[in-house]
Amino acid sequence: MATDPAELTHRAQAWLAEDPDPETRDELAKLIAAEDTAELAARFAGTLQFGTAGLRGELGAGPMRMNRSVVIRAAAGLAAYLKAQGNGSGLVVIGYDARHKSADFARDTAAVMVGAGLRAAVLPRPLPTPVLAFAIRHLGAVAGVEVTASHNPPRDNGYKVYLGDGSQIVPPADGEIAAEIDAVRSLADVPRPEAGWETLDETVLDAYLARTDAVLTPGSPRDTKVVYTPMHGVGRDTLVAAFARAGFPAPTVVAEQAEPDPDFPTVAFPNPEEPGAMDLAFATARNTAGVDIVIANDPDADRCAVAVPAPGTPDGWRMLRGDEVGALLAAHLVRKRAAGTFATTIVSSQLLSRIASAASLPYEETLTGFKWLARVDGLRYAFEEALGYCVDPAGVRDKDGITAALLITELAAELKQSGRTLGDLLDDLALDHGLHATDQLSVRVEDLSLIADAMRRLRAQPPTALAGLTVTRADDLNQGTETLPPTDGLRYYLSGSPAAGIEAARVVVRPSGTEPKLKCYLEVVVPVPSAEALPEAHTKATTALASIKRDLAEAAGI
């Protein structure tokens, strides 16, 4: 790690000499001229690490930022990996969102692939990530790249890599690609022709949209009135087109967030889960007559958020948790007689296991992320609590916020036809399987060492009880299990408490893979003997979750 001012300046000047982007060259030249040692150290203290999430980071000059130099090296490493795997003449499909520099990064990637002897095809314009995931298999590509930072802050961008099976990379591929990236000594060694790749036309999007019809039951009810926000991202045109094809009424789009805007001016974080992000959608719903549900996509439209009417609350609407939407979609697919494995991750609600068991369907749990879920044998449906749902794995082996929106809208229409709501179905699931209530303790930090400190503290002194519930089993997931590869995480199973009305509880703690956050996932299960007992069950669950959250924060020192 370079900290000596002279060494930092030397490294910065060497980087500057081969930087192909006038904007980042100017930015770096000013830092060198100002002798801004602190900022240079932040940018040259190492390199962005390529892993199972690909690359993601803040835009700017230097190896610790996202920029054209970093992307060219990443593309060269991917090309070398593909050639080493015997795919040296294969097709690489490249998609991108509407963030700052996304189109540049996509073009650079295409140039590097062609320069390495591969074929490259770029999607026709900024489109949802699931369109890229679909296109890989549809076009018989050997790999795909999506330039996106998903729901990260405006200053970020990222680089997500898929292989020919249409799913994101996992070990050992990520490490092998990272090694090839490290082997790139100079950008001068990376051929980048000015042309030679294909820019796809709308045919690939048409094929994706034709595939979205597959998630719906022919002749099912379609009378659902929806308010929709793409949250300044790229989802609007694709979702509206999918709704039109399906015969749903055109959704009312939140005007202030309708157009792609890389600055995301109306939200602090362009993530439907963040406080305040849904305010404009709720305001639109309050001012629109007869709205049944509110739907949001994140900026690259691979996630889907759903809200339902909540009379008497300040917003008038309640965001459903990803776990709730995941259970609703599962119940809907069971009713459609879906066959195959239902899967979720170790941090998502265990309710899916009970739904699958009751339907005599196979069930699996994986590590966090669709890179793992997509690889489940015989997969028919997968979800994770962070608003990600895969409802058509034969078409898209990744989370897909467009097809998930279609399926939840169909479910709302079917329930509406019989005078019921999504909330009523959630109540049914609680009566059948127990109330599975979830919450999250999520701490965003500036200093990543705070996360490492919290994990060390919990490993050194694991809690023996939380909220008065005894910790009956503690798993350090660093060690791996019979069914899971090693990961930096901790899992606690808690005893029930007849006095508190709790059947069981579970806590999972892990650092986020894409953001500077420590995430703690909490779940309690409360038996519900009758419909009349539902309000009391919710109260018990809320009380228990709040107590677990408080005790866990104290144990972790956060």
Side-chain angles (χ1 to χ4, degrees), residues 255-319:
E256 300 93 332
Q257 298 174 333
E259 297 295 330
D261 188 330
D263 294 319
F264 305 103
T266 68
V267 288
F269 291 95
N271 178 354
E273 294 178 293
E274 292 285 346
M278 295 291 288
D279 287 355
L280 286 171
F282 294 158
T284 301
R286 288 194 299 270
N287 294 324
T288 306
V291 177
D292 297 303
I293 57 174
V294 173
I295 290 176
N297 286 137
D298 67 340
D300 69 326
D302 62 351
R303 298 170 194 247
C304 177
V306 181
V308 296
T313 63
D315 287 325
W317 290 82
R318 180 176 83 84
M319 264 275 287

Side-chain angles (χ1 to χ4, degrees), residues 79-80 82-83 87-92 112-120 142:
L82 292 172
K83 292 170 77 170
N87 294 316
S89 60
L91 173 68
V92 178
V112 170
M113 295 302 159
V114 171
L118 291 110
R119 293 176 293 127
V142 297

Side-chain angles (χ1 to χ4, degrees), residues 150-480:
S150 189
H151 56 278
N152 274 39
R155 65 182 182 273
D156 289 2
N157 212 328
Y159 198 81
K160 187 182 293 188
V161 176
Y162 298 76
L163 294 182
D165 63 356
S167 56
Q168 297 173 51
I169 54 169
V170 295
D174 58 341
E176 292 169 4
I177 295 170
E180 296 286 5
I181 295 170
D182 291 342
V184 178
R185 292 291 167 236
S186 168
L187 294 192
D189 300 331
V190 182
R192 284 179 288 131
E194 293 293 321
W197 58 89
E198 179 185 3
T199 299
L200 297 168
D201 59 22
E202 296 295 312
T203 306
V204 67
L205 178 61
D206 293 341
Y208 168 79
L209 287 169
R211 179 76 206 184
T212 63
D213 296 347
V215 306
L216 303 175
T217 300
S220 63
R222 305 290 159 95
D223 180 25
T224 311
K225 191 162 186 179
V226 173
V227 162
Y228 167 71
T229 175
M231 210 151 286
H232 299 296
V234 298
R236 180 193 62 185
D237 291 351
T238 304
L239 181 134
V240 169
F243 268 54
R245 285 182 61 97
F248 289 115
T252 299
V253 180
V254 176
E256 300 93 332
Q257 298 174 333
E259 297 295 330
D261 188 330
D263 294 319
F264 305 103
T266 68
V267 288
F269 291 95
N271 178 354
E273 294 178 293
E274 292 285 346
M278 295 291 288
D279 287 355
L280 286 171
F282 294 158
T284 301
R286 288 194 299 270
N287 294 324
T288 306
V291 177
D292 297 303
I293 57 174
V294 173
I295 290 176
N297 286 137
D298 67 340
D300 69 326
D302 62 351
R303 298 170 194 247
C304 177
V306 181
V308 296
T313 63
D315 287 325
W317 290 82
R318 180 176 83 84
M319 264 275 287
L320 298 180
R321 292 188 171 277
D323 286 321
E324 292 176 304
V325 177
L328 288 169
L329 291 174
H332 189 38
L333 288 168
V334 165
R335 203 156 42 240
K336 284 169 168 281
R337 302 188 184 281
T341 302
F342 279 29
T344 191
T345 70
I346 59 171
V347 302
S348 303
S349 173
Q350 299 166 99
L351 175 56
L352 184 65
S353 66
R354 299 197 183 187
I355 293 172
S357 176
S360 299
L361 291 171
Y363 169 80
E364 282 197 32
E365 284 184 14
T366 72
L367 295 183
T368 307
F370 270 83
K371 57 185 175 284
W372 300 109
L373 287 170
R375 287 176 162 76
V376 168
D377 286 341
L379 182 67
R380 176 59 185 87
Y381 168 66
F383 91 91
E384 61 179 357
E385 54 74 41
L387 309 182
Y389 317 96
C390 175
V391 301
D392 178 27
V396 176
R397 295 193 75 80
D398 197 6
K399 54 186 178 289
D400 183 347
I402 305 297
T403 49
L406 287 171
L407 198 61
I408 199 72
T409 304
E410 178 188 57
L411 173 57
E414 289 187 359
L415 291 166
K416 182 179 179 180
Q417 191 177 63
S418 56
R420 306 181 75 239
T421 66
L422 296 178
D424 293 332
L425 181 52
L426 285 172
D427 287 347
D428 290 349
L429 293 173
L431 285 164
D432 290 343
H433 307 293
L435 174 63
H436 287 63
T438 58
D439 200 357
Q440 197 178 120
L441 172 61
S442 182
V443 181
R444 184 181 293 271
V445 300
E446 292 293 331
D447 181 358
L448 289 176
S449 69
L450 296 175
I451 293 177
D453 290 345
M455 296 298 289
R456 271 196 297 271
R457 191 175 293 112
L458 288 170
R459 286 189 167 103
Q461 293 183 299
T464 57
L466 296 167
L469 305 175
T470 302
V471 176
T472 57
R473 177 176 148 198
D475 298 334
D476 187 342
L477 300 176
N478 250 344
Q479 311 303 316

